[in-house]
Amino acid sequence: MIEISLIFFQILFLSLITFYSIPLLKNNSRNKNNSIEVFSINIIILMNFFFIFSLSNLNNNILFILLILLSIFFFIKKKENILNVLDFKFLYIILMIFLISLSLANKLDFGWDAKFFWYMKSLNFYHNESLANLEKLPATDYPHLGSYIWSFFWKFPFGMYEYHGRIFYIFLYIISIFSFIEILRITSLNKIIYATLIIISTFSFDLISGNQEIIIFSLSLLCAKYCYLIFNKINKKDTALNIFILLLIFNIAVWTKNEGAFIIGFAIVLTYFLANLNKSHKNTLLIGSLIIIFLRIIIYNLLNSSLESFEFEKTISANHLQGLMSDIKVISFYVLVYLTQLPIIVLGLIILVYCLYKYKFDKLLVFVLLYFLLNILFIYGAFVFSMENVEWQVRVGLKRVMFESSGFYLITIAYLINKTQKGK
C-alpha cells in the first residue's frame, strides 16, 4: 500500500513540477484553458532544461531545489491553478499514467540495452558523477539525456525506488499521445477514445524496461503534431512558436538516442523545404538545427566519444559488400514481419495511399510520403553498416527503430479525420 501511495505522489510531483516550474508562453492561441497543451509544451521545455543542467556538472540537488523554487514562484505568479484543469480528460490521463506505473512496479525487468548501458549511465548521474565520467562506461557514443532524467526522478522526491525515474517516461508517453490527439476536430469523448486506441496499439512492457525508444516515440508524436500545425497554419501567429518547439524537440532527440537525430531531423528538413514558411521562419529553422548539430559534435569531441556501436571497418569491407543483397533481403523480410506488430504504421500508410488518391498531392501528404522514403533508406543504411552480423542486429533492434518513428504516420489519420469533419 505504501508503494502504491508513493507511485501516486510521484505522478503528482511530476504534474506539479511540469505545470508550475515553466513560465508558459500564454500568448499562443491554443493553450488557453487547455491543460494538455500546457503540459506538452512545458514538458518539452523542462527536458531541455534538464539537458542544459546535465552539462553543468552541478550537483542535481541544486536542480531539485531550483525546480521547487521556480514552482513556488510561478504558483504565486500564475493566474491559472492546476485545480482549474482537473476536467475528466485530465483525470483520465492521470489514471492511465497511474495504471501503467503500477504495471511497471509489478514488472521490473530491464531490457538488454537498459541493463548494460542506460542503467549504468543513470547510476552515474544518481551518484552525482559528471558527464565526463561516462567515458569510463560502455557505449560512450550513446547520448545521456534520457538516463539523466531517469536518475533525477529516481532520486527525487523520495529516492527510494529506481523505477520512479522511469515513471517520467510513462508520463511523457501518455501526454504526447493526448497532445497529438488535440489536433483532431472531434469531441472530447472521441479524443479520449482515439488516444486510448493508440495506447492499446502501441504499449508493451518492453517500452518501460529502461530502454529509450519510448522517449523517441513520444517525441515523434509531438514533432508530428507541430509539423501538422506548421503545414496547416491553423493560426499564423503561432508559426514562430511551433518552429521554436520543433527545435526544442529536435534537441531532446539528439541527446536521447543516436537515431533520434535522423528520426526528427528528417521531419525538420522536409518542413523546411515543403512548408509554406517565410524567410525569417526558414532561417530560424535552419540556423537552430545547425546549432544543435554542431553543439552535439563539439561536446562529443570534448568527451572523446567514438562510434563504438558501429563496425565500419568490417561493414565497408569488400567481403561484407559482396553480401549486400543478402543483407537487404534479410532486412526486408524483418521489416514486413515487424509491420504486422506495428499497426499504426500499416494503418497510417494505407490511409496515406487513400488520401493521395482522393486529395492528390497535398503538401502535407507529400511530407509524410517523403518522410517514409527517407526513413526506409535510413533503416536499410543503418542496419547494413552498423554491425557485420546484420541478421542478429535486425532481429534485436529493427522493431524498436521502426516503432520510434511510427508516430509520424498518425498524421495521415489526423489529415483524413479533419478533412472529413471539415466537409460536414
Side-chain angles (χ1 to χ4, degrees), residues 118 121-122 125 144-152 169 212:
W118 303 117
K121 292 179 185 291
S122 180
F125 294 118
H144 71 282
L145 182 57
S147 295
Y148 183 85
I149 296 173
W150 177 359
S151 72
F152 181 84
Y169 296 177
Q212 308 293 290

Side-chain angles (χ1 to χ4, degrees), residues 37-140:
E37 193 72 19
V38 171
F39 276 98
S40 63
I41 294 176
N42 279 16
I43 204 168
I44 293 167
I45 296 173
L46 185 61
M47 291 178 76
N48 277 275
F49 189 67
F50 277 118
F51 163 68
I52 294 170
F53 207 89
S54 72
L55 301 180
S56 69
N57 292 330
L58 292 173
N59 191 301
N60 51 25
N61 291 314
I62 297 173
L63 176 58
F64 175 68
I65 294 170
L66 181 60
L67 289 176
I68 294 297
L69 291 176
L70 285 172
S71 298
I72 293 171
F73 176 77
F74 289 115
F75 172 77
I76 296 170
K77 188 176 179 181
K78 279 184 178 181
K79 295 180 181 178
E80 294 89 353
N81 190 298
I82 196 169
L83 295 176
N84 296 332
V85 302
L86 293 181
D87 55 10
F88 176 75
K89 190 194 300 180
F90 181 74
L91 292 174
Y92 183 77
I93 289 172
I94 296 299
L95 176 62
M96 294 300 294
I97 296 170
F98 181 70
L99 292 176
I100 296 177
S101 297
L102 288 179
S103 300
L104 170 61
N106 189 51
K107 190 178 175 66
L108 294 175
D109 295 340
F110 282 151
W112 195 91
D113 280 0
K115 188 182 299 181
F116 293 100
F117 306 128
W118 303 117
Y119 174 71
M120 298 298 292
K121 292 179 185 291
S122 180
L123 201 61
N124 176 81
F125 294 118
Y126 182 83
H127 290 293
N128 288 313
E129 295 290 347
S130 67
L131 182 63
N133 194 60
L134 293 178
E135 187 180 351
K136 301 174 184 177
L137 302 178
T140 57

Side-chain angles (χ1 to χ4, degrees), residues 152-294:
F152 181 84
F153 289 107
W154 170 5
K155 194 170 187 177
F156 302 108
F158 306 114
M160 293 180 67
Y161 299 105
E162 162 277 319
Y163 70 86
H164 281 186
R166 286 186 276 158
I167 290 177
F168 176 85
Y169 296 177
I170 300 168
F171 188 85
L172 173 65
Y173 168 70
I174 298 296
I175 290 293
S176 68
I177 290 172
F178 277 87
S179 179
F180 178 85
I181 291 297
E182 283 299 302
I183 65 177
L184 301 184
R185 301 189 189 108
I186 53 178
T187 65
S188 292
L189 178 59
N190 284 335
K191 286 179 180 179
I192 291 172
I193 293 171
Y194 275 86
T196 304
L197 290 173
I198 293 173
I199 294 168
I200 291 170
S201 62
T202 58
F203 179 75
S204 69
F205 284 107
D206 290 340
L207 284 181
I208 52 178
S209 65
N211 289 331
Q212 308 293 290
E213 287 78 24
I214 189 172
I215 299 180
I216 301 299
F217 170 80
S218 303
L219 295 176
S220 75
L221 261 182
L222 292 170
C223 184
K225 171 185 176 175
Y226 289 103
C227 287
Y228 179 92
L229 294 173
I230 289 170
F231 272 86
N232 283 278
K233 288 196 172 181
I234 293 173
N235 190 306
K236 291 184 179 181
K237 294 180 181 179
D238 291 343
T239 300
L241 176 62
N242 291 333
I243 289 172
F244 176 66
I245 295 171
L246 203 57
L247 289 171
L248 291 180
I249 293 170
F250 182 47
N251 188 58
I252 299 168
V254 163
W255 291 101
T256 301
K257 286 202 76 180
N258 288 324
E259 60 264 34
F262 296 93
I263 289 170
I264 306 299
F266 290 150
I268 288 180
V269 170
L270 292 173
T271 299
Y272 179 87
F273 286 107
L274 294 177
N276 187 21
L277 301 174
N278 62 36
K279 187 176 181 180
S280 174
H281 292 150
K282 283 195 169 188
N283 287 340
T284 301
L285 197 58
L286 177 62
I287 295 170
S289 300
L290 290 175
I291 289 173
I292 290 167
I293 293 168
F294 284 129

Side-chain angles (χ1 to χ4, degrees), residues 17-37:
I17 287 292
T18 305
F19 189 84
Y20 284 114
S21 66
I22 304 298
L24 181 68
L25 304 173
K26 297 186 181 67
N27 291 329
N28 100 72
S29 59
R30 298 188 313 275
N31 62 28
K32 295 177 180 178
N33 303 315
N34 189 333
S35 60
I36 311 304
E37 193 72 19

Side-chain angles (χ1 to χ4, degrees), residues 302-320:
L302 291 174
L303 295 173
N304 296 316
S305 296
S306 60
L307 289 173
E308 59 187 75
S309 304
F310 293 82
E311 300 178 347
F312 291 122
E313 71 283 357
K314 297 179 181 178
T315 57
I316 61 174
S317 65
N319 289 336
H320 181 78

Side-chain angles (χ1 to χ4, degrees), residues 381-397:
F383 283 96
V384 165
F385 297 110
S386 62
M387 286 190 177
E388 192 175 17
N389 190 339
V390 172
E391 182 167 3
W392 177 84
Q393 184 72 356
V394 296
R395 288 178 66 182
V396 301

